[in-house]
Amino acid sequence: MVVKNSFLIFKNDFRHRTWLDWIQSHIMLAPPPFRFKGSVTFNASGINFVGYDIFHDEEVQFNIPKNEIEQLYHGYDGTFSTLQTRGMGTTWAPIRFKFAHGNDLYLISEFNGIYSANEELFEELKLWLT
């Protein structure tokens, strides 16, 4: 399964966001908080990402083995809270991949400025993990 229009941010990346980043994520049709933008592929071995890292201004590619995922969650938490976004979380919520090492990954798929496809993707990912 491939999700072409994806925004990703790791839990540890939130501490590097600036006040300007926070303001920008509250502007009409602005993207959600993110560090990486690109295409995510979910296959039998895990998660593969190809895209752009805005923190380092470069193209990146990384893989996360499927067996490192401890939990899948759809919704906000203490790190990626509704205060991080415009609309207070009424139209979409991130998908969180929890890992043993603690640096959770948040994913927002097919975001169009108002809505995302995360509800549908979350249901597909539950099946992918089983």
Side-chain angles (χ1 to χ4, degrees):
M1 153 180 38
V2 178
V3 182
K4 293 189 181 208
N5 181 23
S6 299
F7 295 92
L8 290 85
I9 187 167
F10 285 97
K11 182 177 186 175
N12 291 345
D13 295 331
F14 276 91
R15 64 179 166 202
H16 300 290
R17 294 186 75 228
T18 66
W19 178 247
L20 182 59
D21 294 333
W22 188 87
I23 290 172
Q24 288 175 338
S25 64
H26 286 78
I27 296 171
M28 183 92 167
L29 303 177
F34 74 100
R35 175 179 177 178
F36 304 99
K37 181 177 182 185
S39 178
V40 179
T41 303
F42 300 94
N43 57 37
S45 63
I47 301 170
N48 299 313
F49 174 79
V50 176
Y52 191 75
D53 178 348
I54 64 167
F55 285 13
H56 295 113
D57 195 26
E58 64 185 7
E59 296 291 324
V60 295
Q61 180 175 346
F62 59 83
N63 303 310
I64 301 171
K66 192 174 183 179
N67 63 2
E68 288 188 14
I69 300 169
E70 287 190 338
Q71 182 184 29
L72 183 67
Y73 178 78
H74 180 231
Y76 294 92
D77 64 7
T79 301
F80 199 130
S81 68
T82 57
L83 297 175
Q84 298 283 340
T85 65
R86 185 181 59 77
M88 299 300 289
T90 58
T91 59
W92 64 272
I95 294 173
R96 181 182 69 202
F97 297 89
K98 184 175 177 69
F99 305 112
H101 54 72
N103 194 12
D104 299 349
L105 175 67
Y106 300 89
L107 165 69
I108 299 90
S109 67
E110 303 297 335
F111 186 73
N112 69 7
I114 300 172
Y115 298 100
S116 79
N118 275 8
E119 283 189 42
E120 298 85 8
L121 180 60
F122 181 68
E123 295 303 319
E124 291 180 40
L125 290 173
K126 288 193 298 187
L127 294 173
W128 172 74
L129 280 174
T130 57

